[in-house]
Amino acid sequence: MTIPTVPSLVVPEAFSRWLDSRGLIYQLLVDFYGRKPSLSLVAQWIRNRQLGVAAEMTEGGRELKRYLCSQEPSALPQICERENREYMRLMNERAASTIVAREAAELGREEEFCNVLSDVYASAGIVFKKCGGEADDHISIELEFMAVMHERMLYNSFSIRSAMELLEIQERFLEEHLLKWTPQFCERLNAATDSPLYLGLSHMLEEFLPQDLQMLRAWKTSLESSAATMA
């Protein structure tokens, strides 16, 4: 099917809330899965007014919102110290963590992932600055890829064609990577912790990714319908 280029991309109202919230959700997940929950990071998300809207998309998001926003400011340093220890116990590979937050390790296919994801990122023109030396298949890097592609789709798409191309990259990445291993990752995380922070994040992740794929597919159908009408 040939999709014609049009002067501008009109986002149907039915998808506006999802598009407004999904980038924020991906960034929140990147921040908390990619580094220890510092006081500044937690305070930043508590102050974020858009968090409340984005949180309503999943029950896990509502859990996380209730936990973060119910804390007294004076209690935050102690809470962050406790959650820092939990992050190190759960996810810091250098500290013999309980959970290995990498696709290859979760799927038991280490050798197959030497160049696969680096090629995916390079083909999209993305190079990550990895402050902690994360592997290309670390959960925070894979989620950041989705966050970057979302930003491109939302702010740099000037036609149905370009939106469709960026949409399809995200659809394939969810199908071929994130949704292949994060359900098992979340199951392990749920069993390994009683932290309200990491349980909320885990529940949010396992609910949001299938939902996001469903919405991408629905929007793709909408764009194809618009393209057919304009043909």
Side-chain angles (χ1 to χ4, degrees):
M1 182 184 68
T2 302
I3 302 174
T5 300
V6 296
S8 61
L9 176 64
V10 178
V11 179
E13 185 176 348
F15 299 102
S16 294
R17 181 168 175 249
W18 163 68
L19 285 169
D20 288 342
S21 297
R22 72 186 293 258
L24 183 75
I25 293 172
Y26 274 116
Q27 191 56 57
L28 183 148
L29 293 170
V30 168
D31 284 350
F32 282 101
Y33 280 120
R35 51 182 165 148
K36 294 183 290 184
S38 66
L39 180 58
S40 60
L41 178 63
V42 171
Q44 170 193 326
W45 281 106
I46 289 175
R47 291 195 301 265
N48 192 311
R49 294 180 180 179
Q50 292 178 293
L51 177 61
V53 176
E56 293 303 315
M57 293 182 68
T58 62
E59 179 55 38
R62 289 189 284 272
E63 288 176 32
L64 194 62
K65 177 188 172 185
R66 285 194 294 269
Y67 176 60
L68 292 178
C69 297
S70 66
Q71 307 301 329
E72 292 293 332
S74 60
L76 288 179
Q78 184 177 0
I79 289 169
C80 289
E81 183 179 343
R82 182 174 67 244
E83 299 295 0
N84 264 277
R85 290 195 299 269
E86 189 68 350
Y87 177 90
M88 295 296 288
R89 185 182 73 84
L90 291 169
M91 299 186 62
N92 190 309
E93 291 184 48
R94 297 175 185 175
S97 59
T98 304
I99 307 295
V100 181
R102 292 180 54 230
E103 180 177 356
E106 187 64 57
L107 297 179
R109 290 160 28 194
E110 196 78 40
E111 293 182 5
E112 297 178 33
F113 280 80
C114 291
N115 299 309
V116 171
L117 282 164
S118 60
D119 288 345
V120 171
Y121 302 149
S123 67
I126 296 174
V127 177
F128 292 109
K129 295 180 180 178
K130 301 172 186 176
C131 300
E134 300 89 348
D136 282 331
D137 66 337
H138 190 276
I139 190 166
S140 63
I141 299 298
E142 293 197 8
L143 291 168
E144 189 170 359
F145 177 77
M146 290 295 293
V148 172
M149 296 308 296
H150 166 75
E151 292 296 309
R152 287 187 181 179
M153 183 175 70
L154 193 60
Y155 297 113
N156 298 318
S157 296
F158 300 104
S159 69
I160 291 178
R161 176 181 301 183
S162 59
M164 187 73 79
E165 290 172 352
L166 293 166
L167 185 158
E168 288 176 345
I169 290 171
Q170 295 171 83
E171 183 181 22
R172 283 198 305 273
F173 196 78
L174 282 168
E175 292 172 336
E176 297 174 8
H177 294 285
L178 278 164
L179 283 171
K180 289 283 188 182
W181 70 282
T182 54
Q184 300 97 303
F185 168 79
C186 290
E187 184 178 352
R188 290 177 189 270
L189 186 55
N190 292 340
T193 187
D194 59 4
S195 157
L197 176 63
Y198 289 102
L199 284 174
L201 287 166
S202 178
H203 296 158
M204 189 177 195
L205 181 67
E206 62 186 340
E207 289 177 75
F208 172 68
L209 293 184
Q211 182 185 96
D212 195 46
L213 178 59
Q214 183 179 9
M215 290 299 292
L216 283 169
R217 288 171 174 167
W219 197 31
K220 181 180 180 180
T221 300
S222 175
L223 291 176
E224 288 173 338
S225 176
S226 297
T229 301
M230 296 175 185

